[in-house]
Amino acid sequence: QVQLVESGGGSVPAGGSRRLSCLASGGAISNYCMAWFRQQAPEKERERVVSIDNDGSIFSVVDSVKGRFTASRDLAKNTIYLQMNTLQPEDTAMYFCAARSCFTSTYNIWGHGTQVTISS
């Protein structure tokens, strides 16, 4: 089963940019539907931010990040990315990479997450 490791989190000033990476091992990302989620507080649910289907189609899910966040992938590096621009304090969250079989609807493979903190 594929394993996912996120990196790239840290503290960013408001208005800044950051790129997160999710390195997959044990399976090719082209065989999975993948997504970036975020969890803004432990008591809040994780929300799906953007999806990348196995054919490379990208879907932004959260209205507040449309036009600011974009996802991409590098098949040679077996890595997906989340480019975040014009970051705002409300983007502070733990960001997770997730994968699922494209024949199912539930993301069942998760990384450990990477924390992004936006300072105002």
Side-chain angles (χ1 to χ4, degrees):
Q1 177 163 291
V2 69
Q3 294 181 324
L4 307 173
V5 178
E6 304 93 335
S7 61
S11 182
V12 186
S17 298
R18 197 79 171 190
R19 189 178 79 159
L20 305 182
S21 300
C22 172
L23 173 64
S25 60
I29 58 174
S30 57
N31 292 331
Y32 293 86
C33 285
M34 302 189 70
W36 286 98
F37 285 73
R38 69 182 181 185
Q39 186 171 17
Q40 293 167 308
E43 65 275 15
K44 290 191 174 183
E45 288 189 6
R46 292 180 189 181
E47 62 176 355
R48 184 159 47 103
V49 176
V50 63
S51 303
I52 304 180
D53 283 353
N54 60 336
D55 64 358
S57 300
I58 297 170
F59 304 93
S60 292
V61 178
V62 177
D63 286 342
S64 64
V65 308
K66 289 180 180 178
R68 299 190 298 121
F69 289 15
T70 187
S72 62
R73 67 180 187 175
D74 186 329
L75 296 181
K77 295 182 178 179
N78 216 32
T79 298
I80 67 168
Y81 302 96
L82 181 65
Q83 177 66 45
M84 306 183 293
N85 299 323
T86 320
L87 284 161
Q88 302 166 5
E90 52 268 33
D91 295 318
T92 294
M94 183 73 81
Y95 284 77
F96 297 89
C97 176
R100 62 173 173 88
S101 164
C102 297
F103 298 102
T104 66
S105 59
T106 302
Y107 290 89
N108 61 336
I109 303 168
W110 294 86
H112 292 295
T114 186
Q115 177 69 36
V116 176
T117 302
I118 312 304
S119 56
S120 58

